[in-house]
Amino acid sequence: MSKALIELVKKNFPDAVLESHSQLGDDTLVLAPGSWKEVCLFLKDNPQSDMNMLTDLTAVDYPDRDPRFEVVAHLYSLNRGHRLRLKAKVGDRDGETVEIDTLTELWASANWLERECFDMLGVKFLGHPDLRRILTYPEFEGHPLRKDYPAEKIQPLVQYRDEPNIDKVAPFGVDEGMSFGRQTHKRGIEDDDSRMN
Amino acid sequence: MEPLDQELDASELELPTEPMLLNVGPAHPAMHGTVRIVMELSGEIIERCDVQVGYLHRGFEKMCERGTWTQVFPYVDRCNYVSPMLNNVGFALACEKLLGITVPERCQWYRMILGELARMSDHLTCDGAMAMELGAFTPFLWMIKGREMVWEIMEEETGARLTHSFGRVGGMAAPPTEGFKEHTRAVVKHIMSIIDEVERLLLGNRIFLDRLENVGVISAEDAISLGWTGPCLRASGVPYDVRKAHPYLKYGEVDFDVPVGSASDSFDRFMVRLAEMRQSARIIEQCLERMADKGPVNVDDPRVILPAKEEVYNSIEGTIQHFKIIMEGLKLPAGEVYSYTEGGNGELGFYLVSDGSGTPHRVRIRPPCFLITAGLERVITGQMMADVVPSFGSLNMIGGECDR
């Protein structure tokens, strides 16, 4: 890790950097949530930083703090071999509105990492193209890695669908939990039928 | 009769076409690991697909927040269950980084040997399963036989074949056994002969090569952007290996190469894994030579290491120390740390947040598999349906690590 990176970001974004430290050699910047994406874009494109890999993205819940959540990203530069940890404090005390910009346009890895973060901690990534749950299922209630989610909580059973003449139909909705569904498929058949006639 | 070479485009008959929606998994015989792939097929070509993971989600990170730091070890075992020793060592190193302690040299060599053996078992499983999925059952049996030998060493050292829970903060649960070096040398030699045999059997096989070459290609830029690490990234020609780029333990002192591929297809991923096993054998040989036969394995620090049993039962200080470590847990200083090692599938990171009490505030494991599986969609879109199995196999998705 290199301290020069911290100076570089501080010089270019004096208002965005709220804190910085290098505890145990891990260089860390705490950013204002509003400039999250802007700073990331700068770090990715600037030849001095050249962060071409988003190694990890997660969030930490501090129930006693306000803002309550810390979104933590670890960036890495393959060419220069340096790392940087970025943090942004977001969310109110009750955890209703926890929002930050998505990084999916910068790194493809952000897609699943942000989905996981949303699933586990309920951080909403604004502008994410496909913010679905990933490790749990669509009917899951709550966000399990929040500190106020009791570990022994039991999830409600997902009901079978009501279909005439069929006993048990899996509880999927029309789209069966995927980013594209049967609806387009069905419409396709109808279109073909009308064309044939 | 009509001529057979009739122009299809010229025909007036237009059949209605519709994309076919196909579900593969989560429990599919050709898939190792529970993953569901929803594919929209046009003929045999995959037009769109959606990879769904999470079927093995057990709330690993939540469970970690309920015990002590030492109680995390059994959980990390169950993340990448093909190479649990690498996870054990990775987590131990993360805690040690936060504590600011370094384990004795003998322990470092010992960790490296066990880690490289685990890497061998990981790669043997992946390459063997890849061959099996393409119908070559013999190499699979041979490689699993080799893996079994590795696990016999592990059983002798740790008492468990698969879930060792052998790492400790500040050392290992036990020192190496007496016959460890001899046993390891014999096994590594045997595994090398297995790899040679497998190579002779597979690399001249036209079917095997045709199914893997130029299949499942991903560009280096895409792989980097997707956050791929490990053998899958190296198969794309990017020589990033944590052991070489940021040496930990004694990796800076041993001599080994980082094998890279060039075509970044399934075949290169297969070959990179084979080559890495040979490098692991080189590393193990050097470690065995340099590991002392006598000397301490655990760090001499009463904050983290349990006292000897005689002291626990015969002195009040020993009893108290034992009680405090077991009941209150290790007191890792408040702060945060990101520690990364080279796991079986790539950069295995641990982001730990400690609040100074004996219980972790947050244990985030950065699973290499998760990001590699995220790239599966890009790898198989536009490919034939039949190529999903070898492409998926070459990524070596481990359900436990991906879903945690």
Side-chain angles (χ1 to χ4, degrees):
Chain A
M1 302 224 177
S2 99
K3 285 204 176 118
L5 275 175
I6 295 185
E7 297 309 316
L8 183 74
V9 178
K10 271 188 183 167
K11 204 176 79 193
N12 285 282
F13 298 93
D15 301 332
V17 180
L18 304 177
E19 289 168 50
S20 69
H21 69 76
S22 300
Q23 192 192 26
L24 299 164
D26 296 356
D27 295 323
T28 307
L29 285 173
V30 182
L31 300 174
S35 48
W36 179 249
K37 193 170 167 184
E38 195 188 353
V39 174
C40 285
L41 184 67
F42 168 81
L43 283 168
K44 185 185 176 224
D45 290 342
N46 190 301
Q48 267 175 287
S49 53
D50 194 16
M51 296 293 187
N52 51 4
M53 194 186 268
L54 172 71
T55 332
D56 194 18
L57 188 143
T58 185
V60 186
D61 182 8
Y62 297 97
D64 302 330
R65 291 190 195 169
D66 196 13
R68 181 174 153 185
F69 292 90
E70 256 182 17
V71 179
V72 185
H74 288 93
L75 308 184
Y76 179 59
S77 165
L78 275 172
N79 303 325
R80 295 181 167 263
H82 55 209
R83 285 167 197 270
L84 186 64
R85 179 190 300 145
L86 299 178
K87 300 208 281 190
K89 297 179 176 172
V90 290
D92 47 3
R93 285 295 284 267
D94 56 357
E96 288 294 317
T97 47
V98 192
E99 294 171 340
I100 195 162
D101 284 333
T102 178
L103 300 178
T104 38
E105 288 154 34
L106 310 183
W107 297 283
S109 57
N111 186 347
W112 275 33
L113 288 170
E114 287 179 353
R115 275 177 68 186
E116 189 197 338
C117 192
F118 162 70
D119 188 1
M120 293 288 121
L121 287 133
V123 181
K124 286 187 189 68
F125 291 90
L126 303 174
H128 190 288
D130 183 25
L131 200 63
R132 285 177 291 151
R133 286 186 179 268
I134 186 163
L135 295 181
T136 60
Y137 44 95
E139 292 86 0
F140 195 93
E141 287 177 8
H143 300 283
L145 276 184
R146 285 190 176 184
K147 291 284 180 188
D148 54 9
Y149 183 97
E152 60 274 17
K153 182 177 171 183
I154 294 172
Q155 286 288 323
L157 283 176
V158 183
Q159 295 296 315
Y160 286 113
R161 264 188 294 166
D162 262 350
E163 290 284 337
N165 304 325
I166 307 176
D167 267 356
K168 286 179 177 176
V169 182
F172 302 123
V174 198
D175 59 350
E176 305 206 351
M178 27 185 146
S179 53
F180 52 91
R182 280 188 200 278
Q183 286 161 310
T184 52
H185 175 66
K186 260 186 189 159
R187 198 162 55 239
I189 298 174
E190 280 156 16
D191 287 351
D192 283 341
D193 283 349
S194 58
R195 201 168 62 226
M196 294 273 288
N197 298 331
Chain B
M1 272 177 66
E2 288 174 29
L4 281 171
D5 57 347
Q6 183 184 3
E7 281 278 325
L8 281 174
D9 294 343
S11 141
E12 277 183 25
L13 176 69
E14 195 181 310
L15 289 172
T17 56
E18 54 176 272
M20 182 177 145
L21 211 60
L22 186 72
N23 280 298
V24 181
H28 189 269
M31 292 280 179
H32 47 152
T34 46
V35 65
R36 177 177 180 225
I37 307 177
V38 186
M39 288 179 269
E40 198 177 279
L41 300 173
S42 159
E44 275 194 75
I45 307 288
I46 299 162
E47 301 251 287
R48 277 196 289 184
C49 78
D50 183 34
V51 180
Q52 297 176 1
V53 297
Y55 290 93
L56 214 58
H57 180 65
R58 299 149 296 173
F60 163 85
E61 287 166 4
K62 188 78 177 174
M63 285 193 285
C64 292
E65 292 170 11
R66 286 163 60 78
T68 63
W69 289 98
T70 320
Q71 285 173 340
V72 173
F73 281 106
Y75 296 139
V76 291
D77 265 350
R78 284 147 182 87
C79 274
N80 187 341
Y81 36 69
V82 197
S83 52
M85 195 56 87
L86 288 165
N87 299 16
N88 267 238
V89 170
F91 180 69
L93 284 171
C95 291
E96 283 156 16
K97 189 173 172 188
L98 197 52
L99 272 164
I101 53 175
T102 316
V103 292
E105 284 209 353
R106 188 171 177 224
C107 182
Q108 299 194 21
W109 294 116
Y110 189 41
R111 281 179 175 181
M112 276 170 73
I113 298 169
L114 291 179
E116 292 306 316
L117 282 170
R119 193 184 315 282
M120 276 188 173
S121 101
D122 182 282
H123 290 356
L124 280 170
T125 316
C126 176
D127 276 358
M130 258 175 99
M132 180 191 67
E133 281 159 359
L134 297 178
F137 205 70
T138 313
F140 175 69
L141 292 178
W142 288 353
M143 287 175 133
I144 292 300
K145 198 173 77 186
R147 186 178 78 168
E148 201 57 42
M149 290 171 194
V150 172
W151 285 359
E152 266 164 27
I153 299 183
M154 293 294 184
E155 191 175 10
E156 199 171 298
E157 295 300 308
T158 69
R161 290 168 75 243
L162 200 58
T163 47
H164 319 303
S165 310
F166 195 59
R168 293 289 183 274
V169 179
M172 291 308 239
T177 56
E178 221 162 81
F180 174 62
K181 285 187 173 180
E182 220 174 302
H183 192 174
T184 308
R185 280 205 178 95
V187 165
V188 169
K189 202 175 152 202
H190 201 117
I191 290 177
M192 286 305 110
S193 73
I194 288 177
I195 294 174
D196 290 342
E197 275 182 271
V198 167
E199 243 183 20
R200 275 204 299 279
L201 198 60
L202 289 177
L203 299 191
N205 187 327
R206 178 71 196 276
I207 302 172
F208 185 75
L209 297 181
D210 280 355
R211 290 296 302 277
L212 294 182
E213 277 176 340
N214 295 321
V215 172
V217 180
I218 189 158
S219 69
E221 291 80 54
D222 277 355
I224 293 169
S225 168
L226 279 162
W228 283 22
T229 44
C232 292
L233 178 67
R234 292 194 282 275
S236 306
V238 184
Y240 172 61
D241 186 324
V242 181
R243 293 174 293 171
K244 208 64 161 180
H246 308 277
Y248 54 98
L249 293 175
K250 293 277 182 189
Y251 281 109
E253 295 178 26
V254 292
D255 194 25
F256 68 101
D257 300 323
V258 179
V260 289
S262 54
S264 59
D265 52 5
S266 300
F267 182 67
D268 272 14
R269 293 193 273 273
F270 179 86
M271 290 307 285
V272 162
R273 287 205 172 83
L274 275 189
E276 269 185 23
M277 280 190 265
R278 298 210 165 91
Q279 298 303 325
S280 290
R282 270 177 78 187
I283 297 173
I284 290 174
E285 188 46 51
Q286 294 171 53
C287 294
L288 283 171
E289 250 167 51
R290 297 185 62 175
M291 186 174 84
D293 285 324
K294 288 207 166 51
V297 164
N298 289 345
V299 69
D300 184 22
D301 189 338
R303 284 180 306 160
V304 292
I305 292 297
L306 288 174
K309 280 283 175 285
E310 302 89 70
E311 274 180 56
V312 177
Y313 294 124
N314 294 316
S315 75
I316 187 72
E317 292 82 7
T319 316
I320 291 172
Q321 191 195 344
H322 186 95
F323 182 84
K324 281 184 88 79
I325 290 181
I326 296 288
M327 298 308 289
E328 291 177 4
L330 304 177
K331 294 277 172 35
L332 264 61
E336 51 183 348
V337 72
Y338 180 72
S339 161
Y340 44 99
T341 55
E342 182 76 17
N345 276 322
E347 182 179 318
L348 177 75
F350 286 95
Y351 174 61
L352 310 179
V353 180
S354 171
D355 52 5
S357 70
T359 306
H361 186 80
R362 178 95 164 85
V363 178
R364 157 76 181 169
I365 177 165
R366 185 250 179 216
C369 267
F370 185 72
L371 294 164
I372 289 170
T373 314
L376 181 64
E377 183 184 341
R378 207 170 285 198
V379 169
I380 61 175
T381 304
Q383 299 235 325
M384 304 280 274
M385 166 66 205
D387 291 335
V388 170
V389 173
S391 302
F392 180 66
S394 72
L395 298 186
N396 194 22
M397 181 250 190
I398 306 282
E401 185 182 80
C402 183
D403 303 344
R404 280 150 294 142

